Each structure stands twice: as C-alpha cells, then as structure tokens.
Amino acid sequence: MSTADTEYRSPAEEKARHEGNKLSKRLARETTRALSDYNMIEEGDRVMVCLSGGKDSYAMLDILMALQKRAPFRFELIAVNLDQKQPGFPPDILPNYLTALGVPFHIETQDTYSIVTRVVPEGKTMCSLCSRLRRGILYRVADELGATKIALGHHRDDILGTLFLNLFYGGKLKGMPPKLVSDDGRHTVIRPLAYVPESDLIAYAQLKQFPIIPCNLCGSQENLKRKEVTRMVQEWDRKFPGRSWNVFNALSRVVPSHLMDRELFDFVGLKPTGVPDAGGDIAFDEPADDEQACGAPAEEGADGLNEQKIVFSRRA
C-alpha cells in the first residue's frame, strides 16, 4: 500500500478534498455541456485560449486541457496572452506557469495601455476602447497562429451582466452568446464557461492556487455599470436562489411571437387561421412565479467526457 493510501487526513481535510473533487467534476460537466450544445470545438480545431492572468481564463485553460486528454477526437490548444504594458504587470508569471504546464503558448506585446490612458479622459471608464483594441490584436494573432477558434473566459454571470447592461442602458434584449462569428467575419469566438457561475470559478481558483495577475487598468475602476449589475445578480443569488438561473435559462427559451420585435415576427401580417395553437396567447394567465422552475443544473456525478454520454462536437 502506498504512502498516499495510508496518509491520514483530518475530517476537515477529507471534507475539503471531497468538495474539491465535486467542484472539478461539476466544472468539467458544465463546460462539456456548453461545448456540446453549441458545437464549439470540432475535429482538428486549433483553439486559441485567451489568457489574461485572471481566474476565469486560468480555469478555462485548465478545464480544456483536462477535456482534451479525454476527448474522442483530436484538437489543439495554444494559450495566448496580450501583454498591454500596464505598469507593474509581471512579465514572467505567465510564461513560467505555461512552460511548467507544457502547453504551447504565445505572448503578444502591444502597448495599448498608453493609447487608452492618453485617449480616455481621467475618471471615464476605459473598457470600451481597451476591448476594441484588444479584440483587433487577438484577431490578427489568431490569423498568424492558424487558430480556427478563439476561446474567451466569460462565464454565466458575465452573460447575465451583458443582458442587463443592454436592457437597462441600451434598450435592447441582447446578451453575450456562447458562440459567434467575429465582427470581421473571419473568426469563430467561443465561450466554453458559458454555463459556469462565477462563484464556482472563484472556488476553483482557490483550489488550484492559480497565480492571479490583477488588472490595474479597467478592472480597478469602481464606477463601472457592470459592477452595479454584478452586485444586483449576487444579491439575487443570496435572497432568491434560482432567480438568476431562471433569467439565464430564459435566454435559450425565446418566444418571438410574445415579444414586440417586428423583424423577428410578422405581427403586421398576423391573422387567425382557425387552427388551435398551444403556443398562442392565453390572455389572462399570470406569468409563472415559481423561482425554482428553471434553477441551476442538478448536481451529478458525471466527470466531464469520461462519464457523460455527450460528445461536444459533431465531427467536421
């Protein structure tokens, strides 16, 4: 019997180990489910994993590397970091970490920090300009590296936040899709963590002890509307468990005939057909108020690809 088999663990240590295993399995399962639902990765793909040095992108890379080993088809991963020359950014942390992992990587150095701080007035949020500059650079790098997919580390709460930002401040029902074609029409962008709540990623970062690099540019600005929306969703999760999951699930259960967009549904030409329609309007029904009706995914024992009967890609 090995030393590991006979090693004593206190009840607290055993509980922490058990919770860590559950968390790892849940993240693998939910990532696999998102990959499968949206056909994110296919046979022969070269996936550019955008790594910022934050908890979300570290977790994304870690999970994709684990799934890559068990996938029923071949695909490549290459980690890419954009060094924006922010003051105090430690240049050695990511190269050392990625070298130790044994994953192919590329560090792209572009001084977008000077551009953003020069153009954006003091006190104004920098996210919009910074995001546009970063996006253009990453698209170019994807071309140079021959990447077929660009993976971003946005999670469930990012998707919810984008929905509410567009709703509250933009007057649009628009979110952040798990998969899209880039605005230059040349790249497929995927978000493998689309089904993962931020709280799980915080716990996973602590479990894995990722070498987090804080963002001192846009991430430190407290006047962001996104932070306000994030606090709202967190408050819901505390007071009304299931509410944020209901809103999230509603994004994939859209009923155009019961909204008001004339581009999506022909209200002008709408006429009775005489044929009963189970999806038609029931004028005096109240909306369902059961907040648990579409809650979080059930806790299961499935461990990603090994135990799930899900293949996350239709073969190319």
Side-chain angles (χ1 to χ4, degrees), residues 208-220:
K208 292 288 188 173
Q209 292 294 294
F210 295 134
I212 304 297
I213 303 172
C215 176
N216 296 317
L217 185 59
C218 52
S220 62

Side-chain angles (χ1 to χ4, degrees), residues 173 253-261 265 267 270 277-283:
L173 272 175
R253 298 188 176 103
V254 179
V255 186
S257 63
H258 286 52
L259 296 174
M260 296 174 63
D261 192 329
F265 188 81
F267 292 101
L270 183 64
D277 180 3
D281 185 33
I282 303 175

Side-chain angles (χ1 to χ4, degrees), residues 81 89-101 103 105 107 213:
N81 170 254
F89 184 85
D92 297 330
I93 288 181
L94 282 172
N96 291 343
Y97 175 77
L98 294 170
T99 299
L101 279 184
V103 63
F105 69 91
I107 307 295
I213 303 172

Side-chain angles (χ1 to χ4, degrees), residues 10-293:
S10 69
E13 290 172 330
E14 187 60 33
K15 181 180 179 181
R17 187 181 71 86
H18 177 67
E19 291 300 320
N21 287 339
K22 283 176 57 179
L23 174 62
S24 297
K25 290 180 179 181
R26 183 165 65 248
L27 290 176
R29 184 182 68 247
E30 292 307 306
T31 302
T32 301
R33 189 163 68 92
L35 293 171
S36 176
D37 284 353
Y38 294 92
N39 191 33
M40 292 189 192
I41 299 179
E42 301 171 89
E43 171 78 39
D45 268 341
R46 182 171 172 83
V47 183
M48 187 174 99
V49 182
C50 297
L51 196 66
S52 66
K55 68 183 188 313
D56 306 329
S57 58
Y58 273 127
M60 176 175 63
L61 176 62
D62 191 76
I63 296 166
L64 288 178
M65 288 182 66
L67 295 181
Q68 182 188 36
K69 294 175 183 177
R70 304 194 294 267
F73 57 90
R74 184 192 62 81
F75 65 92
E76 297 178 59
L77 299 174
I78 180 166
V80 171
N81 170 254
L82 173 57
D83 182 353
Q84 299 176 266
K85 304 311 294 180
Q86 296 178 31
F89 184 85
D92 297 330
I93 288 181
L94 282 172
N96 291 343
Y97 175 77
L98 294 170
T99 299
L101 279 184
V103 63
F105 69 91
H106 171 77
I107 307 295
E108 180 72 14
T109 302
Q110 296 287 333
D111 187 3
T112 62
Y113 178 85
S114 296
I115 298 173
V116 171
T117 53
R118 184 180 72 249
V119 172
V120 178
E122 187 175 354
K124 298 292 184 179
T125 57
M126 302 174 180
C127 287
S128 179
L129 176 58
C130 181
S131 178
R132 288 198 303 273
L133 293 172
R134 186 170 62 245
R135 189 162 62 240
I137 294 168
L138 290 175
Y139 291 167
R140 173 181 58 77
V141 172
D143 282 334
E144 293 172 356
L145 296 176
T148 57
K149 301 285 172 62
I150 300 174
L152 303 179
H154 297 116
H155 47 69
R156 185 211 71 159
D157 297 58
D158 288 325
I159 292 174
L160 277 175
T162 300
L163 170 68
F164 288 122
L165 283 172
N166 283 313
L167 185 64
F168 295 160
Y169 303 107
K172 294 180 182 178
L173 272 175
K174 178 183 175 183
M176 178 187 283
K179 181 182 180 182
L180 66 124
V181 174
S182 60
D183 51 14
D184 66 0
R186 297 166 53 195
H187 302 91
T188 301
V189 178
I190 59 175
R191 296 182 168 100
L193 303 181
Y195 292 166
V196 178
E198 184 174 25
S199 57
D200 277 355
L201 295 171
I202 293 171
Y204 196 64
Q206 294 171 345
L207 176 69
K208 292 288 188 173
Q209 292 294 294
F210 295 134
I212 304 297
I213 303 172
C215 176
N216 296 317
L217 185 59
C218 52
S220 62
Q221 293 180 290
E222 290 298 333
N223 57 333
L224 288 178
K225 292 182 175 66
R226 184 171 287 275
K227 288 184 179 287
E228 176 187 338
V229 168
T230 298
R231 285 191 290 267
M232 180 189 75
V233 173
Q234 290 172 343
E235 186 69 11
W236 283 357
D237 285 338
R238 283 193 294 270
K239 291 185 176 180
F240 311 105
R243 174 179 289 184
S244 60
W245 277 110
N246 277 346
V247 176
F248 180 77
N249 288 330
L251 289 169
S252 61
R253 298 188 176 103
V254 179
V255 186
S257 63
H258 286 52
L259 296 174
M260 296 174 63
D261 192 329
R262 289 172 294 166
E263 298 294 323
L264 291 179
F265 188 81
D266 184 15
F267 292 101
V268 174
L270 183 64
K271 295 186 181 354
T273 65
V275 178
D277 180 3
D281 185 33
I282 303 175
F284 301 104
D285 276 13
E286 291 294 325
D289 60 0
D290 181 1
E291 301 241 341
Q292 298 297 330

